[in-house]
Amino acid sequence: MADFMRPTLDSDLLRTFVAIAETGNFTKAAEQAGRTQSAVSMQMKKLEDLIGASLFERGSRGVALTRRGGELIVNARRIVSLLDETSASMAAAPLGGPVRIGIPEEYGHAILSRALGAFSKRHTQVEVTVRYAHSGAQMAALAAGELDLCVVFEWQDPAGGEVLMHDPTVWVTSSLHHMHEEQPVPIALYNRAGWCKDFAIKSLEQRDLAYRVAYTSDTTGGLKLAVTSGLAIAPISRSNIPDGCRELTTADGFGAIDSSNVVMHRNPNASGEAIDGMQDAIREAFVNRLSQPAASS
């Protein structure tokens, strides 16, 4: 029977493992956990003995996951996240009531799904309404009392909002199609007038780059489609560059279009624990995204 027994993985070991993987450093992980570096090293030695394989490769800049470590990290993150959600749900009293959110389409999957996933498990009685729209429309809806919270792009100093992350808009091209090498360069833009469209064209004119509008769309998804299919280059926020595409830098003759911040605003007349909780969940979702290594593009 002993031959068929599986190793029992301690959640505390997995939590430390995740911390090391995300910081790339035993010392930083030890500081986060409030332990000594030697204690953290002993934990990882125990975990490696249980797994039967090395989990980290040490280098001059810290540590990186081995192949086996890369296999473990996916489930380890899931387990730690589930434990955190369970602990929070047990500690917090369930909330109820409506919450109305406005958020850019770019963050619907990466951010809002994370925030809603954690929040809805704790507070099943909260009715959440989400509006996807551009920043100008979101701010207008907030001022009209139609939204409780909204997340917007702002390219100037934020007025009264909470900066969640810095996410400049950049020109993006397909790594396969190289449309930026064409003359005039074909570009994709939003249908609507607005700061992104104005800044995008201005950035080309400042560099004396000849262009033609080859594609227009109401949504960021449409711009991404134009780039990935090889129709045009497009202005896309840096954190949302699609797979198989890359940012066009000054080395390519382009450069950043703006220096946008992602800012969360709250309706000053909106009150209630449900709104407080959702605001915290959105903030936490952005923090978690920033703490994770950026995906290669």
Side-chain angles (χ1 to χ4, degrees):
M1 290 295 291
D3 293 339
F4 296 95
M5 293 180 66
R6 298 288 187 267
T8 300
L9 300 181
D10 188 299
S11 62
D12 194 39
L13 298 181
L14 293 179
R15 189 179 295 277
T16 302
F17 169 65
V18 170
I20 297 170
E22 293 185 347
T23 61
N25 188 292
F26 272 62
T27 302
K28 290 180 180 178
E31 291 173 355
Q32 285 186 7
R35 291 189 171 95
T36 64
Q37 184 175 341
S38 60
V40 166
S41 298
M42 289 176 63
Q43 281 189 303
M44 289 305 95
K45 176 63 168 62
K46 181 177 180 180
L47 182 59
E48 287 178 334
D49 289 344
L50 287 169
I51 298 296
S54 176
L55 299 174
F56 296 102
E57 294 176 347
R58 289 164 175 78
S60 59
R61 295 186 177 181
V63 296
L65 293 174
T66 62
R67 181 187 64 80
R68 193 69 169 136
E71 293 172 353
L72 177 61
I73 192 63
V74 176
N75 283 331
R77 281 192 175 121
R78 186 181 305 154
I79 292 167
V80 170
S81 176
L82 182 59
L83 287 171
D84 288 343
E85 289 176 10
T86 303
S87 177
S89 66
M90 295 297 100
L95 303 177
V99 178
R100 302 165 300 171
I101 310 165
I103 195 165
E105 176 198 0
E106 290 93 324
Y107 302 113
H109 177 73
I111 297 295
L112 192 57
S113 63
R114 183 194 297 268
L116 290 178
F119 185 84
S120 63
K121 289 176 183 176
R122 294 180 224 167
H123 312 297
T124 58
Q125 300 304 310
V126 174
E127 177 187 350
V128 180
T129 302
V130 179
R131 176 192 300 225
Y132 292 109
H134 60 89
S135 296
Q138 303 284 30
M139 289 300 291
L142 190 77
E146 298 169 2
L147 292 175
D148 301 309
L149 300 166
C150 74
V151 176
V152 298
F153 290 106
E154 292 186 5
W155 67 101
Q156 297 171 328
D157 291 337
E162 175 186 354
V163 177
L164 299 171
M165 71 181 294
H166 180 63
D167 200 7
T169 307
V170 297
W171 285 106
V172 174
T173 189
S174 164
S175 301
L176 176 64
H177 299 289
H178 307 287
M179 298 306 292
H180 62 286
E181 297 176 355
E182 291 197 5
Q183 290 295 327
V185 62
I187 65 173
L189 293 173
Y190 290 109
N191 285 331
R192 61 183 180 273
W195 66 268
C196 183
K197 184 175 181 178
D198 295 342
F199 275 54
I201 291 175
K202 184 178 179 180
S203 74
L204 298 176
E205 293 175 342
Q206 287 177 333
R207 294 175 172 85
D208 294 323
L209 292 170
Y211 67 90
R212 63 180 179 87
V213 178
Y215 184 97
T216 59
S217 173
D218 287 330
T219 67
T220 301
L223 297 190
K224 289 182 178 181
L225 176 63
V227 176
T228 55
S229 60
L231 290 174
I233 66 171
I236 297 172
S237 56
R238 182 175 284 158
S239 73
N240 283 278
I241 296 175
D243 291 339
C245 300
R246 69 175 181 88
E247 174 182 345
L248 290 168
T249 66
T250 53
D252 301 298
F254 292 80
I257 294 170
D258 62 31
S259 56
S260 290
N261 288 313
V262 181
V263 183
M264 179 163 54
H265 290 271
R266 177 168 176 165
N267 185 329
N269 297 318
S271 62
E273 293 183 347
I275 298 172
D276 295 342
M278 181 58 73
Q279 187 172 7
D280 291 342
I282 292 173
R283 181 187 300 113
E284 183 178 346
F286 271 96
V287 169
N288 288 340
R289 173 165 179 157
L290 288 171
S291 68
Q292 292 182 357
S296 61
S297 57

